[in-house]
Amino acid sequence: MQAFTLPEFYVPHPARINPHLEAARTHSMAWAREMGMLDSPAPSGDVVWTEQALAKMDYALLCAHTHPDCDGPSLDLVTDWYVWVFFFDDDFLAQFKYTRNTEGAKAYLDRLELFMTGPGETPPEPENPAEAGLKDLWARTIPSMSEAWRRRFVTSTHNLMVESLWELDNIDRGRIANPIEYLQMRRRVGGAPWSANLIEYAVGAEVPDKVAATRPMEVLRDTFADAVHLRNDLFSYQREVREEGENSNAVLVFETFLDCSTQEAADLTNDLLTSRLQQFENTALVEVPALLVEHDVPLPDQIGIGHYVKGLQDWQSGGHEWHAKSSRYMNEGPVSGANGPLGGPTGLGTESLRFSPNRLGLVQRTRQQAPPPFAPVGHLPLPEFRMPYPVRTSPHLAAAREYAPGWAREMGMFGPVPGVALGVWDERRMRGIDLPHCAAMIHPDSDFEELKLSSDWLTWGTYGDDYFPLIFGMRRDPVAAKFCSDRLSLFMPLDGEPVPEPANPVERGLADLWSRTAGSLSPSARADFRADVERMTESWVWEVANQAQNRVPDPVDYVEMRRRTFGSDLTKSLARLRTGDVIPPELHRNRVLFELDTAAEDYAAFTNDLFSYRKEIEYEGEVHNLVYVIERFLAVDRLQARDITARLMNARMEQFEQLADEGLPRMCDDLGLDEEVRAALTRYADNLKNWMSGILEWHRKCVRYRQKVPVPGLVSGNDGSNRHYHSRVVRTP
């Protein structure tokens, strides 16, 4: 009996099939036999695969559906890659997950990576089917692809192999990940980013390296990956969770985190799947064309990117069709929505042509459209905050408080700006925000000069965060916002280039701060710091663009962009300046440090969303607040959304504690790091503790987030003046 009834899926593109299917079936079976994958023994005494089992799973059908347009030899090679990756998954399960053999798993994975050779390198002789298959596939694939593609493919293959240890560790602990951690880690351990790389091979068009790392292309890959993984989790829950005892499955994650029924968790997983697909569509239709123009991408590369986007779409539809047929998965129930109110055609490739409100994605589309702004929401009672770390404060706070308004005045932050007669800030408002207090807590060990610099960066970032929605958001002008953001890069020269004359307080403040900060940094650290600032200013443009589209962000996109809009990278980089270049940059891509960073970032950003809910939703007409995003996505009231936000905060804090106390020392041991790097990593984790506790305390004390009465006649003004309030605190029950 199935654990739940499969929901109706949103599959917006029709599935097609490659005419070379039968040849690929014959080839892949022979190749699996040649590599030793058939009748390969498992520790239990059984075998991992038999010929009958492989035929029944039918990976050639998967590839024929997901790559309908490639030629026969290409389909053969792609199918072999999928046979290999599914064999690796099942073999790893049998060899190490069932036996809980963590040390053996590490050795197995370390050796497997030796078969992804670079130029001039020779792999060892294979000792098992996984090694034999990877050696053969690598030799057949790499000659036709660029070095940039090879690097990306090595990274995605490395992740899906090595991060299997994360799954193994969670099974061993009996630990189920929190939803944010799960989605992030599923991208690394799941095969979808790896599949996206193979799509470039199958369609014969690589994504140009100069745009591969931009936000639109990252969002395409991430939404593709999330949709593939969420769909797989729905189909595989029965096998993975109920039969194999795995706990890395979105349905189980939501079931546990929200304490809801399996059916409710499955429906929520499907809602998120739909939302991610619609985010993909929005990015492909709105952001990618603008990207091509911005980077002046040549026409042949534009055509190639178009083929790549189409390849991602084909994979989604074809993958769904295969999941609905393969013996590997549970696929009984209304998979296709054929029983929906509008019915539809039947037969091969018609999964996406049967209509119902769910299959059309109408529910999520409706929720993503923002209602009229400035709705009265009232006071939001705050939850209890889990904060295990004490607040520490710099002894130079009083002096910094006296210094800070003078710098802001010198930069022009108290004067009028074009289109806003009252200006963005005045001195009274700036003193009430008390950013030196925040700086003194997140950098408690700084000397006075360091504290002044930190306070000024926070002042500049907070002013810019107010400036963009007031100047550009109210008039729905993302083009002007982007022009402003792009110009800011001119004020952060990497090699002493001349800077233009500042045209506004944001440019003037950045020019001053950069001249005081960049000189002490190494060239690589300077480039990284500039990128951190650019990510923050570009995220402000993203907010303006959402306002222009009247769009409530997808919850996953919101969480990931919230880290940027909050300035997490910038403020953490200020702390990182004190550790110098001791910590190798590649360590920040390690799972432990990546999750440590993002857990801290989410805790701090969600703190802000809880404290600022009424200010943003009722007084500023905003939609960029996690409480509000959850309200819209889950169709719950603000108190329920508040509780879910608080639960996410606590889960991220618990994860941070576990990583800081156990994960970081274990990572140092596994990588054999020397004492200097270990000490720097300990200081870095301590800085994050100060950062989180300081930000929470600042929100508790800052008048910016106390309940205010808006100035009559200004709340809903079209000139942006809704941001000005009386400072009188409203007494609430």
Side-chain angles (χ1 to χ4, degrees), residues 75-391:
L75 183 63
D76 287 346
L77 179 57
V78 169
T79 302
D80 291 347
W81 270 113
Y82 279 88
V83 169
W84 176 82
V85 80
F86 278 101
F87 175 82
F88 163 78
D89 190 53
D90 287 352
D91 186 51
F92 192 84
L93 176 72
Q95 301 287 347
F96 306 110
K97 288 185 179 179
Y98 283 155
T99 61
R100 307 293 194 267
N101 182 3
T102 303
E103 292 304 314
K106 289 179 181 177
Y108 171 88
L109 295 172
D110 287 344
R111 181 174 159 82
L112 197 55
E113 290 213 30
L114 300 177
F115 293 88
M116 295 186 291
T117 53
E121 297 177 346
T122 302
E125 282 301 310
E127 295 180 354
N128 57 57
E131 292 177 356
L134 185 54
K135 178 182 178 181
D136 177 80
L137 291 166
W138 198 253
R140 292 161 58 196
T141 307
I142 294 307
S144 60
M145 306 304 289
S146 70
E147 177 64 19
W149 182 90
R150 186 191 71 83
R151 289 195 303 270
R152 295 200 302 271
F153 192 62
V154 166
T155 298
S156 59
T157 309
H158 165 90
N159 286 340
L160 73 86
M161 293 192 305
V162 171
E163 301 302 354
S164 298
L165 294 173
W166 171 78
E167 291 184 318
L168 186 59
D169 183 61
N170 280 341
I171 292 172
D172 195 44
R173 293 169 176 267
R175 176 182 179 271
I176 298 172
N178 63 71
I180 298 174
E181 174 194 9
Y182 176 76
L183 287 168
Q184 290 184 163
M185 287 304 301
R186 188 73 164 94
R187 289 178 192 164
R188 295 167 77 101
V189 74
W194 177 88
S195 295
N197 292 143
L198 281 177
I199 287 170
E200 294 180 68
Y201 169 84
V203 301
E206 293 188 26
V207 176
D209 210 31
K210 71 175 183 178
V211 299
T214 59
R215 170 189 147 80
M217 301 311 296
E218 286 181 347
V219 171
L220 285 184
R221 287 191 296 271
D222 289 347
T223 51
F224 167 80
D226 292 346
V228 168
H229 295 148
L230 291 167
R231 180 184 293 106
N232 178 267
D233 285 354
L234 284 161
F235 279 98
S236 64
Y237 178 92
Q238 184 77 25
R239 177 178 61 84
E240 291 180 346
V241 177
R242 294 290 175 87
E243 298 171 13
E244 296 176 353
E246 293 210 41
N247 58 14
S248 183
N249 185 289
V251 179
L252 180 64
V253 167
F254 288 128
E255 186 180 0
T256 304
F257 182 78
L258 296 175
D259 191 24
C260 62
S261 70
T262 308
Q263 185 67 58
E264 289 172 322
D267 291 340
L268 174 57
T269 301
N270 188 49
D271 287 345
L272 188 58
L273 164 58
T274 300
S275 183
R276 298 308 280 154
L277 288 172
Q278 291 173 350
Q279 171 75 45
F280 177 95
E281 293 164 356
N282 184 273
T283 304
L285 294 174
V286 177
E287 295 189 49
V288 171
L291 173 77
L292 301 180
V293 173
E294 177 188 353
H295 288 268
D296 196 22
V297 176
L299 182 59
D301 287 342
Q302 291 187 37
I303 294 171
I305 289 173
H307 287 311
Y308 171 68
V309 173
K310 180 176 176 292
L312 295 172
Q313 292 174 340
D314 286 335
W315 210 110
Q316 293 287 353
S317 300
H320 179 84
E321 194 86 18
W322 177 72
H323 276 83
K325 296 173 180 176
S326 174
S327 67
R328 188 178 179 90
Y329 304 107
M330 75 178 212
N331 40 34
E332 299 173 8
V335 177
S336 66
N339 297 322
L342 301 181
T346 61
L348 179 63
T350 61
E351 277 293 308
S352 59
L353 302 180
R354 303 172 194 146
F355 304 115
S356 73
N358 284 344
R359 290 187 66 74
L360 294 174
L362 297 180
V363 174
Q364 288 307 321
R365 289 194 191 281
T366 300
R367 291 176 182 172
Q368 287 178 358
Q369 287 299 303
F374 308 109
V377 295
H379 171 59
L380 182 70
L382 292 172
E384 292 293 324
F385 292 92
R386 177 182 176 86
M387 175 46 69
Y389 306 117
V391 174

Side-chain angles (χ1 to χ4, degrees), residues 389-400:
Y389 306 117
V391 174
R392 299 172 55 233
T393 307
S394 168
H396 305 290
L397 171 58

Side-chain angles (χ1 to χ4, degrees), residues 420-448:
V420 184
L422 296 178
V424 179
W425 281 1
D426 56 26
E427 183 169 344
R428 180 185 180 188
R429 179 173 173 80
M430 191 264 184
R431 285 185 179 274
I433 295 174
D434 200 6
L435 291 161
H437 186 210
C438 186
M441 290 184 290
I442 65 178
H443 301 132
D445 299 317
S446 57
D447 60 31
F448 183 46

Side-chain angles (χ1 to χ4, degrees), residues 417-659:
V417 294
V420 184
L422 296 178
V424 179
W425 281 1
D426 56 26
E427 183 169 344
R428 180 185 180 188
R429 179 173 173 80
M430 191 264 184
R431 285 185 179 274
I433 295 174
D434 200 6
L435 291 161
H437 186 210
C438 186
M441 290 184 290
I442 65 178
H443 301 132
D445 299 317
S446 57
D447 60 31
F448 183 46
E449 289 303 314
E450 290 172 332
L451 184 59
K452 288 196 298 184
L453 183 62
S454 176
S455 175
D456 290 346
W457 271 112
L458 292 181
T459 299
W460 178 82
T462 306
Y463 180 87
D465 189 44
D466 284 352
Y467 182 91
F468 267 71
L470 184 60
I471 304 301
F472 308 115
M474 289 299 166
R475 64 176 194 247
R476 306 292 194 267
D477 194 349
V479 175
K482 187 171 190 331
F483 177 79
C484 180
S485 173
D486 289 347
R487 243 182 80 85
L488 292 176
S489 296
L490 301 176
F491 297 91
M492 297 183 287
L494 295 179
D495 298 308
E497 302 92 337
V499 300
E501 187 68 24
N504 55 57
V506 181
E507 293 180 353
R508 192 173 300 110
L510 182 58
D512 177 78
L513 288 167
W514 189 256
S515 67
R516 294 158 55 195
T517 306
S520 62
L521 303 178
S522 68
S524 61
R526 189 180 307 135
D528 289 343
F529 189 67
R530 170 171 149 165
D532 290 338
V533 178
E534 289 173 334
R535 278 192 291 271
M536 181 174 71
T537 64
E538 289 165 1
S539 74
W540 297 340
V541 180
W542 170 81
E543 289 185 317
V544 173
N546 283 332
Q547 286 183 276
Q549 294 183 56
N550 196 41
R551 179 175 178 272
V552 180
D554 162 85
V556 178
D557 196 38
Y558 175 79
V559 168
E560 293 176 338
M561 289 301 292
R562 187 69 178 100
R563 298 166 189 162
R564 301 185 185 189
T565 63
F566 189 66
S568 300
D569 288 339
L570 170 61
T571 50
K572 288 195 295 89
S573 291
L574 293 173
R576 201 180 299 175
L577 296 180
R578 295 175 60 86
T579 64
D581 292 334
V582 175
I583 301 175
E586 61 271 15
L587 278 185
H588 287 280
R589 295 188 290 272
N590 182 280
R591 174 186 68 83
V592 172
L593 218 52
F594 175 78
E595 283 294 328
L596 192 79
D597 274 343
T598 57
E601 291 169 3
D602 292 343
Y603 184 93
F606 301 167
T607 296
N608 179 268
D609 284 357
L610 284 164
F611 275 88
S612 65
Y613 174 80
R614 187 180 190 184
K615 177 181 80 73
E616 293 179 340
I617 306 307
E618 182 172 336
Y619 299 153
E620 298 178 359
E622 268 282 5
V623 297
H624 299 98
N625 183 291
L626 183 62
V627 180
Y628 188 72
V629 169
I630 290 173
E631 275 185 82
R632 298 292 298 171
F633 180 73
L634 295 180
V636 297
D637 65 36
R638 64 194 178 96
L639 296 179
Q640 291 172 293
R642 173 206 63 188
D643 292 344
I644 292 171
T645 301
R647 200 178 304 172
L648 282 170
M649 282 182 64
N650 290 337
R652 293 299 264 167
M653 177 57 77
E654 290 168 3
Q655 184 186 354
F656 180 92
E657 292 176 85
Q658 187 271 324
L659 289 169

